Amino acid sequence: MADRNTTRKGAASLADTSPLRRFSAILSRLCDLSLYLAGIGLVAMTALVAYQVFSRFILNASPSWTETSAIMVMSWFIFLGAAVGVRENFHMGFDVLLYVLPQGSKGALRTVSDLVALAFGIGMVWYGAKLVGLTWQSTIPALGLPGGFDYLPLTAGGALISLFSLERMMLRWAGVDVDKDINLEEVPEMPAVQEA
């Protein structure tokens, strides 16, 4: 959460009419929406699995659509959550190097990390769209939906990862501190505990 507030405060320091500020505000709302949808998806998947277990062991009649639906919902909340993690700076990076290299190298390493995430997101969109196209004519038997629905979360998550990575790099280049890392902050001294 500290990084989210830093990104919002830093974006607020840009000129109010700045296109970058408007872009960041839109992506902030998109990130919040993605986070809420991922949370709702987690609850929905849990309910689907609970219903499947109840139907199988109590009613002795397991519906065929619950497992497929739970897997599809899980795909959505995983990829939406991964995209939120990129925007909030919870994705993989060069954290070990940040402890040993000079402070000035932090921005460069974070930019490299964001470039890798951007490339990965673009790959997800590219190959996910190919998979959607290749499987659209088939049908998911239990749901009656086109087979391409299985790969839509991959494509949507890749698009969000790409947008959020690009936003982080643009804000960094504009001078906004998007690299605040709570793990690198000073830890306050704890008072000594007296033994009885």
Side-chain angles (χ1 to χ4, degrees), residues 101-165:
L101 292 176
Q103 186 66 21
S105 62
K106 182 178 184 179
L109 288 175
R110 293 285 189 191
T111 300
V112 169
S113 179
D114 288 335
L115 281 170
V116 170
L118 175 65
F120 194 79
I122 290 170
M124 288 169 62
V125 170
W126 177 261
Y127 291 108
K130 282 186 169 188
L131 287 169
V132 168
L134 287 172
T135 59
W136 196 260
Q137 298 303 319
S138 64
T139 301
I140 302 170
L143 300 177
L145 295 172
F149 270 89
D150 277 338
Y151 302 104
L152 283 176
L154 177 66
T155 307
L160 289 174
I161 286 172
S162 300
L163 281 172
F164 294 154
S165 299

Side-chain angles (χ1 to χ4, degrees), residues 22-142:
R22 287 193 303 269
F23 178 66
S24 185
I26 290 167
L27 289 186
S28 180
R29 288 191 292 273
L30 185 60
C31 180
D32 289 343
L33 176 66
S34 299
L35 186 61
Y36 286 120
L37 288 175
I40 290 167
L42 180 61
V43 172
M45 186 202 70
T46 304
L48 286 167
V49 170
Y51 177 67
Q52 180 182 15
V53 169
F54 175 78
S55 297
R56 179 178 294 160
F57 294 109
I58 304 299
L59 303 178
N60 204 21
S62 180
S64 61
W65 58 271
T66 53
E67 183 177 353
T68 307
S69 299
I71 291 171
M72 188 175 291
V73 169
M74 183 177 68
S75 298
W76 274 105
F77 77 74
I78 285 173
F79 286 114
L80 290 175
V84 170
V86 167
R87 186 166 196 272
E88 302 297 328
N89 197 25
F90 293 127
H91 62 90
M92 291 174 41
F94 298 98
D95 292 345
V96 174
L97 292 175
L98 292 176
Y99 292 108
V100 296
L101 292 176
Q103 186 66 21
S105 62
K106 182 178 184 179
L109 288 175
R110 293 285 189 191
T111 300
V112 169
S113 179
D114 288 335
L115 281 170
V116 170
L118 175 65
F120 194 79
I122 290 170
M124 288 169 62
V125 170
W126 177 261
Y127 291 108
K130 282 186 169 188
L131 287 169
V132 168
L134 287 172
T135 59
W136 196 260
Q137 298 303 319
S138 64
T139 301
I140 302 170

